[in-house]
Amino acid sequence: MRIVEDHRPGASPEHPDLRDYVSWHAAYDDPESSLSVRLRHVQGAIVDWLDRTPGPVRVLSSCAGQGHDILGVLEERGPQDRARVTGALVEIDPTNVTIARRRIAHLGLALTVVESDAGTTDAYAGLIPANLLLLSGIMGNISAADIERLVYVSRQLCAPEATVIWTRGAQDPDLGPDIRRWFEQAGFEELSCEEWIEGTGMRVGVNRLVAPPQPLRPGELIFTFYR
C-alpha cells in the first residue's frame, strides 16, 4: 500500500478516509462478522492446499495485517506442517507487524514479517518465488485498474504451478467476474470460487499458475489503497 505508515483516518492528506487497519482487526473477535466468515473460508482454502501439497513450501502473504489466515491455520496443524512451511508476510503497519511477529515467535514458525509497502514490486525482492500467494483483503480497497495489475504481477511472485488465494466482496461495482477473467488471461486456472459466502457478499477465489512465472520487475507500483 503506498500510504504513510499510520493507517488511521486523517493520517494522510491525500486519503483522509483510510481505515484504522489495527482496530479493523477487532471484527475478527465476532464469529458472525463478514470478516470472520471470510477468514474461515480463506483458512479452509489454505488447509486444502496444505493437504494436497507435500514437501517444503514457501508462502507469501501480501498486505498480511496480523497474519490471522496463515498463522491461524499453522497454529492448528501438527509440527511436521509447521516445520515445512517457510515464507514471509508483507505488512506496512508497524503495530500489525509487531503482533504478527510475536505470534510467529510463540508458534516457533520459520516465517518472517517484512515491514514494507506491499503495493510496490520492491517489497518482494528476496521473498519469492512463492508456492502459495495470499491476496486477502486487498482487492476491495484498490481500484479496478490496480486489481488487474495485481493479478498480472502475481506471475512475478509465484513459483511454477503456485496457488493464489484471493478475496473480493460484492460491493458496487462487483468486479468478481472481471477478476476471474483477469486471472485466466494472466495464465492462472481457476480451482474454485466461493461467492456470497454464508449470506455475506464475500468471495474467495483459488487459482493455480499454469503459465510460466515471470521475473520480478523492480521499482514498479502495483496498487494504492484508497480507503
Side-chain angles (χ1 to χ4, degrees):
M1 292 173 287
R2 184 169 289 281
I3 56 179
V4 293
E5 291 188 350
D6 187 347
H7 287 186
R8 284 175 280 280
S12 168
E14 296 181 7
H15 301 286
D17 298 322
L18 283 173
R19 297 166 173 161
D20 178 341
Y21 278 95
V22 177
S23 63
W24 175 85
H25 285 75
Y28 289 120
D29 295 332
D30 176 8
E32 303 302 318
S33 72
S34 58
L35 286 184
S36 289
V37 170
R38 184 183 74 188
L39 176 62
R40 287 194 294 272
H41 286 258
V42 169
Q43 289 178 331
I46 296 173
V47 167
D48 290 343
W49 175 78
L50 282 171
D51 287 344
R52 68 174 183 266
T53 310
V57 290
R58 186 169 185 84
V59 174
L60 175 61
S61 179
S62 180
C63 294
Q66 297 172 9
H68 287 319
D69 42 22
I70 184 63
L71 300 186
V73 168
L74 292 178
E75 186 172 18
E76 299 299 321
R77 305 291 285 197
Q80 276 192 318
D81 268 340
R82 293 187 192 184
R84 72 188 181 95
V85 175
T86 61
L89 287 67
V90 181
E91 168 61 29
I92 198 171
D93 186 281
T95 300
N96 288 335
V97 166
T98 297
I99 292 171
R101 284 175 176 166
R102 286 174 179 168
R103 191 172 184 186
I104 287 170
H106 174 72
L107 295 172
L109 301 173
L111 294 170
T112 60
V113 185
V114 178
E115 185 177 332
S116 186
D117 181 351
T120 66
T121 56
D122 287 345
Y124 303 100
L127 307 181
I128 56 173
N131 304 110
L132 176 66
L133 175 62
L134 298 176
L135 303 177
S136 179
I138 301 175
M139 296 181 182
N141 304 297
I142 62 178
S143 69
D146 282 359
I147 296 173
E148 183 176 10
R149 186 178 303 109
L150 173 60
V151 169
Y152 278 87
V153 170
S154 294
R155 280 182 63 181
Q156 301 177 36
L157 310 179
C158 287
E161 299 183 348
T163 294
V164 179
I165 299 174
W166 58 273
T167 66
R168 214 283 185 171
Q171 66 261 41
D172 188 29
D174 183 3
L175 298 174
D178 300 283
I179 296 169
R180 296 172 73 176
R181 185 181 72 253
W182 292 332
F183 268 110
E184 180 182 4
Q185 293 171 344
F188 293 83
E189 68 171 345
E190 184 174 282
L191 301 182
S192 66
C193 186
E194 297 182 282
E195 300 184 297
W196 301 98
I197 299 171
E198 298 183 32
T200 71
M202 292 296 180
R203 176 188 286 108
V204 176
V206 182
N207 292 72
R208 180 169 54 211
L209 182 64
V210 292
Q214 294 178 332
L216 185 68
R217 294 191 292 271
E220 293 190 2
L221 175 67
I222 311 170
F223 59 80
T224 304
F225 269 42
Y226 64 77
R227 66 173 183 172

